[in-house]
Structure formats: structure tokens, C-alpha cells
Amino acid sequence: MTTKMLLLTAVAVMLAACAGKDKQAANEKRLDREEKSNVVETTTVTAQPVGDELELNGEVACDERLLRKVFIPCTGRVSGVSHVVGDYVTAGTLLGVVHSEQAADYHKGLSDADAELRMAAREYQMQKDLRASGMASDKDVEAAHNRVTMAQAERRRLATVARIEGLGGANALLRAPISGYITATNIFNDSYVSEDTNNEPAFEIADLRRVWVIADVYESDISKIHTGDPVVVTTVAYQGRKFTGRVDKVNNVLDPDSRTMKIRVTLDNPHGLLKPGMFATAHVMTQRQGERLCCVPTESVIFEHGHNYVVVAEGSRYVRRAIGVAHNSSSYTWVRTGLHENEKIVSKNALLLFNHAS
């Protein structure tokens, strides 16, 4: 092999190696971008009235519309209680049993009603047979039929009451009416429930898929709060995590001592992270009178070299775009130029994709 051929071969090998390295680098860059895209979140750009932020202290509470209380329908001795506060139960779960003389009496009433219904049915059949042979009148048959009707109505009434009260046999069965978390209990095994001690619910069960935050508004800020205002909630338990909701209710009564008024914020809580009793900070977006601009989460805005950027999701691509900021708060930024409604932007961990965006 000549020297020229050796040189050409060496150059070819070097070019192939370089091409392989470039291809490997491109693949690594693509995999890195795909891996990072799995930990980001996107949101749709909406137009909102330009506003300011009001920071309020509050506490997480159960949404009372999703709260159920289980009462004991009679007096008696309690057994079978195995669930405590914080336990998750499904609808129909047996929570406890009350051994009650009242329940036994009610069960006896059901048995008596069954017996009366059987006797009335037999008499009705007998009167129909006698009428067929001419030994009973239509009036006798009608009276027997009325007795059956009354017995059926009484049996249905007793059965309905038993179902409502949870009476099963000689006992009262306490069952969970909904699926959720037990938030309060007022009975324990081998205790006796009397008429004097049966004022509180035995159990309280809350569906925590939606919760409230009850926050205090100072008198000087009351005029800034309106029903429907968007709210971002943060907690000590989940540093850096934000939960979004809206003002659901503004109370009309002022506390004379603290000079504050309560507002209620409703939030979806699909993963059950927010627990009743947690301290929370509600960042209420109060609206100004004036123009509506595109509104994005402040954490989605990246400041670099004197300019503000967002990362826009265009199909499978991520595009870096400069924006003109009109107003911002710790939670939201209003954009005057660079974005349009219904575009999708990266709202969480945008910085991970910023350098790879085109």
C-alpha cells in the first residue's frame, strides 16, 4: 500500500470517527432534551385583567359540601370501632355497632309487621275463595284487601326507617355514607351511648378531593377582594409547590376584635396533599379596572441579558420567545407583547429547556 493510500485511509477513519462522535453527541442532546421535557409542565395562555397581589394568612379546611356526619340512631353499648382519625374508608364500610334495646324492639316491630302481612294475605285469599262459592260478599273481600294494603304500607315504613337509621337485626350498624377520610370520632369501644351523651356525631368523614382555605382580610383591603378572583395557595408543608383556586365566598361580617373578614377559597385537591388544619398563604390576584392582557405564571418567565423570555410549546418543539412584560407579581405576570391567547408555554422547570429551545 502506497503512502498516499495510507493517508487517505487514515483521513477516512478520522472522518468516520468524527461523524460517529457528532451523531452520538446529537443523540445524547436529544435524549437529554426528552428527559427534561418529562419533568416540565405546560399551561395555556389566557387573557386576564391586569391586577395586583394580596397576600393573606389562612388555614386549610374541609369543603363542608363534601363532609358527612354519622349519628347514632339509638342508645346502647358500642363495639366494633376499629377506625381512627386520618383513616381512609370507602362508602359502606362498617364503622361500629351499637347493641341497643331500641334496635331490638324495632327488629321485633319488623317481625310483627311481616306476621301481620302474612295473616292479611291469607285472609284475603280466603275471602276471595268464599266469594267464589257464594259464602262471602264483595264488602268482605274489599275489607280483607284493605287490611293487606295497610300491612304492606306499615312494613314498607318500618323497612325504610330501618334503612335510614342503619338498624340491622338487634343492632344499629354505623356505616360510612361516602368514601373519604375520617376527620373526627366521638365514640369508642365498650362505651355506652345514652340520650344525654348522643348529641355529637359518632364520625365525620370528608372527601378531600376538594378543600377550602379560610383566610383573613384586613378591613383596609376588603374592597379589593371579589368573588371569582384567582388565588395561588402556598403551604409550609410543600415548599415551592403552588395550588390554584378561586375566591368562592366573601363574608359580610367583620370581626370587631381583629378588624378582619373571612374569605373562602375553593381548591381542587386530587392527590389529597392539602390536609384540614394546615396553615396556608393565599395570594389573591386582585383586579384593576382596565385592559386585559395575556397572563402567565411568573415562574415561567426567564430573565436573561436584560430581556424576558418564555419557552413556548409548539407541538413536539420548544421555542424560546422574547416577551414584553407589562406588570408582574410573585405569582402572575401580564405580557403586553410576544404572546397570544391559547398558546401553550412551559410553566414549570422552563429553565431546563431554555438552553435547548430554538
Side-chain angles (χ1 to χ4, degrees):
M1 184 178 293
T2 64
T3 302
K4 184 175 181 181
M5 292 180 65
L6 287 173
L7 288 174
L8 291 175
T9 302
V11 170
V13 171
M14 291 177 62
L15 290 175
C18 291
K21 289 181 179 180
D22 291 342
K23 185 177 181 180
Q24 181 180 357
N27 286 334
E28 289 177 353
K29 184 176 180 180
R30 176 180 59 80
L31 291 173
D32 181 59
R33 184 171 62 251
E34 290 177 355
E35 182 179 351
K36 289 178 178 178
S37 66
N38 290 329
V39 297
V40 303
E41 294 179 3
T42 61
T43 189
T44 302
V45 177
T46 60
Q48 300 288 344
V50 179
D52 287 319
E53 181 179 297
L54 194 61
E55 187 174 298
L56 309 174
N57 294 322
E59 184 175 316
V60 178
C62 300
D63 185 334
E64 293 180 1
R65 294 166 294 192
L66 301 179
L67 179 69
R68 297 293 183 272
K69 299 181 179 182
V70 181
F71 288 89
I72 298 178
C74 55
T75 61
R77 184 177 60 83
V78 177
S79 70
V81 177
S82 59
H83 295 91
V84 297
V85 172
D87 285 354
Y88 181 84
V89 294
T90 56
T93 298
L94 182 63
L95 303 175
V97 178
V98 182
H99 306 275
S100 169
E101 183 180 348
Q102 290 175 310
D105 290 342
Y106 210 89
H107 180 63
K108 181 179 181 299
L110 280 170
S111 298
D112 292 345
D114 287 333
E116 170 63 20
L117 182 57
R118 288 193 297 270
M119 291 177 60
R122 283 200 298 268
E123 182 182 353
Y124 178 48
Q125 184 61 47
M126 183 181 66
Q127 291 297 331
K128 289 196 296 182
D129 293 341
L130 290 174
R131 183 179 60 179
S133 61
M135 298 177 65
S137 65
D138 290 341
K139 185 176 181 180
D140 294 331
V141 174
E142 183 179 356
H145 181 265
N146 289 339
R147 182 182 175 186
V148 171
T149 302
M150 293 177 63
Q152 289 174 334
E154 178 63 10
R155 179 63 177 80
R156 284 195 298 269
R157 184 188 71 82
L158 292 172
T160 300
V161 174
R163 185 174 65 254
I164 294 173
E165 300 290 356
L167 302 176
N171 304 317
L173 306 180
L174 307 180
R175 296 188 181 276
I178 62 171
S179 298
Y181 292 90
I182 296 176
T183 57
T185 61
N186 292 299
I187 62 171
F188 51 91
N189 287 322
D190 295 325
S191 61
Y192 186 84
V193 178
S194 66
E195 293 182 357
D196 295 331
T197 61
N198 196 17
N199 297 321
E200 298 295 326
F203 296 92
E204 293 185 12
I205 301 174
D207 183 346
L208 298 181
R209 290 177 299 174
R210 190 174 68 236
V211 295
W212 290 343
V213 169
I214 308 299
D216 295 311
V217 183
Y218 285 107
E219 185 175 7
S220 58
D221 294 323
I222 289 176
S223 62
K224 302 175 183 177
I225 302 290
H226 301 88
T227 301
D229 285 345
V231 181
V232 173
V233 172
T234 57
T235 62
V236 175
Y238 304 107
Q239 293 287 345
R241 183 152 190 168
K242 297 181 179 181
F243 304 88
T244 58
R246 290 190 176 275
V247 175
D248 180 59
K249 184 178 182 180
V250 179
N251 285 2
N252 293 314
V253 179
L254 196 70
D255 187 313
D257 297 324
S258 63
R259 309 306 299 174
T260 61
M261 191 172 69
K262 301 287 187 184
I263 67 166
R264 188 176 74 194
V265 179
T266 300
L267 306 97
D268 288 329
N269 188 35
H271 304 297
L273 297 178
L274 297 174
K275 315 291 186 184
M278 278 185 174
F279 290 112
T281 301
H283 306 266
V284 183
M285 303 300 109
T286 59
Q287 298 179 3
R288 294 176 177 178
Q289 297 296 325
E291 60 184 332
R292 295 168 61 91
L293 296 175
C294 288
C295 184
V296 299
T298 295
E299 65 179 333
S300 67
V301 180
I302 298 170
F303 183 80
E304 184 176 77
H305 303 310
H307 297 282
N308 291 296
Y309 297 89
V310 293
V311 177
V312 181
E314 295 182 352
S316 60
R317 297 174 59 245
Y318 293 100
V319 179
R320 182 192 313 181
R321 189 182 298 176
I323 58 172
V325 173
H327 180 72
N328 60 18
S329 66
S330 64
S331 300
Y332 288 99
T333 294
W334 283 264
V335 178
R336 188 175 299 281
T337 59
L339 280 179
H340 301 284
E341 271 193 271
N342 299 321
E343 286 191 294
K344 285 190 176 296
I345 64 164
V346 177
S347 56
K348 184 177 180 181
N349 293 327
L351 195 58
L352 293 176
L353 296 175
F354 182 73
N355 293 327
H356 295 294
S358 56

